[in-house]
C-alpha cells in the first residue's frame, strides 16, 4: 500500500484511488473509493507504478545478487522475494525494505531449486548457472584486458 504524498500535506492511500487525472496546472485529481475527490500536487511525477498489482510470493523464492569485489572476485548475496509486481512486461520480485539494487538481481531460485533470470533463461541448479555466469564474466574481463 504505497502512500501518495502531496505538496499540500495530504497523504493518500493508493489502495483507495479508483482513478486519477493529471491536470495542466501540475496538479492531479484523485477519485477515491470512498466517493471523495482530492485535487493536489503530488511529490512524485510518475505515479503509474503505484497502481501495479502486487501479490505475495510463495515462500522459498530467493534472488541472487552478484558484486565484483576490488580484487576481481565475485561475491554472491541472496535475498528472499516477499512479493511479485505484475506488470505488462512480466513479473518482477519485490524484496523486504528499501534497497537501491532491487532491480540488479542476477537470477531467482524457485522453491524447487530451479534458477531463472529476467530474460526467461532457465537452469536446473544454481551451480549450473554459476559456472556459466563465471565463464561469461571471465570472457568479458579478458576482452577488457585485451582492449587496454
Amino acid at each position: 500500500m504505497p502512500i501518495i504524498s502531496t505538496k499540500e500535506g495530504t497523504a493518500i492511500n493508493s489502495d483507495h484511488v479508483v482513478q486519477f487525472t493529471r491536470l495542466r496546472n501540475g496538479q492531479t485529481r484523485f477519485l477515491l473509493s470512498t466517493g471523495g475527490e482530492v485535487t493536489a500536487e503530488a511529490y512524485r511525477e510518475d505515479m503509474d507504478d503505484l497502481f501495479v498489482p502486487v501479490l505475495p510470493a510463495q515462500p522459498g523464492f530467493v534472488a541472487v545478487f552478484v558484486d565484483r569485489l576490488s580484487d576481481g572476485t565475485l561475491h554472491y548475496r541472496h535475498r528472499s522475494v516477499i512479493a511479485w509486481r505484475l506488470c505488462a512486461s512480466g513479473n518482477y520480485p519485490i524484496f523486504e525494505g528499501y534497497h537501491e539494487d532491487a532491480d540488479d538481481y542476477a537470477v531467482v531460485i524457485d522453491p524447487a531449486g530451479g534458477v531463472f533470470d529476467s530474460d526467461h533463461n532457465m537452469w536446473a541448479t544454481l551451480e549450473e548457472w554459476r559456472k556459466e555466469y563465471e565463464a561469461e564474466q571471465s570472457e568479458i574481463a579478458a576482452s577488457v584486458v585485451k582492449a587496454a
Side-chain angles (χ1 to χ4, degrees):
M1 152 189 86
I3 299 295
I4 301 166
S5 298
T6 68
K7 294 181 180 177
E8 292 80 9
T10 306
I12 303 169
N13 180 338
S14 64
D15 286 345
H16 294 273
V17 176
V18 176
Q19 181 179 2
F20 68 95
T21 305
R22 292 182 184 93
L23 305 175
R24 288 186 210 158
N25 65 0
Q27 292 191 321
T28 304
R29 179 173 294 132
F30 299 94
L31 177 62
L32 304 176
S33 61
T34 59
E37 183 179 291
V38 175
T39 301
E41 187 174 353
Y43 280 110
R44 186 178 190 140
E45 288 183 26
D46 183 19
M47 289 181 286
D48 293 337
D49 60 336
L50 295 176
F51 303 102
V52 173
V54 174
L55 297 176
Q58 175 183 354
F61 282 94
V62 177
V64 178
F65 294 80
V66 183
D67 301 310
R68 184 175 291 279
L69 303 179
S70 59
D71 65 358
T73 59
L74 298 174
H75 173 70
Y76 298 90
R77 294 179 291 127
H78 295 196
R79 293 190 51 211
S80 294
V81 177
I82 62 169
W84 296 96
R85 285 187 345 229
L86 307 180
C87 302
S89 58
N91 302 330
Y92 298 95
I94 297 175
F95 312 101
E96 181 179 10
Y98 174 78
H99 299 278
E100 292 180 18
D101 64 352
D103 293 334
D104 293 336
Y105 66 93
V107 291
V108 173
I109 306 167
D110 67 32
V115 178
F116 61 93
D117 65 13
S118 60
D119 294 328
H120 308 292
N121 297 312
M122 299 181 80
W123 296 267
T125 66
L126 183 61
E127 282 306 311
E128 183 181 307
W129 166 78
R130 192 172 170 172
K131 285 178 187 176
E132 186 177 317
Y133 181 80
E134 289 176 357
E136 182 180 292
Q137 292 302 309
S138 294
E139 285 180 26
I140 292 170
S143 67
V144 169
V145 170
K146 283 184 184 178

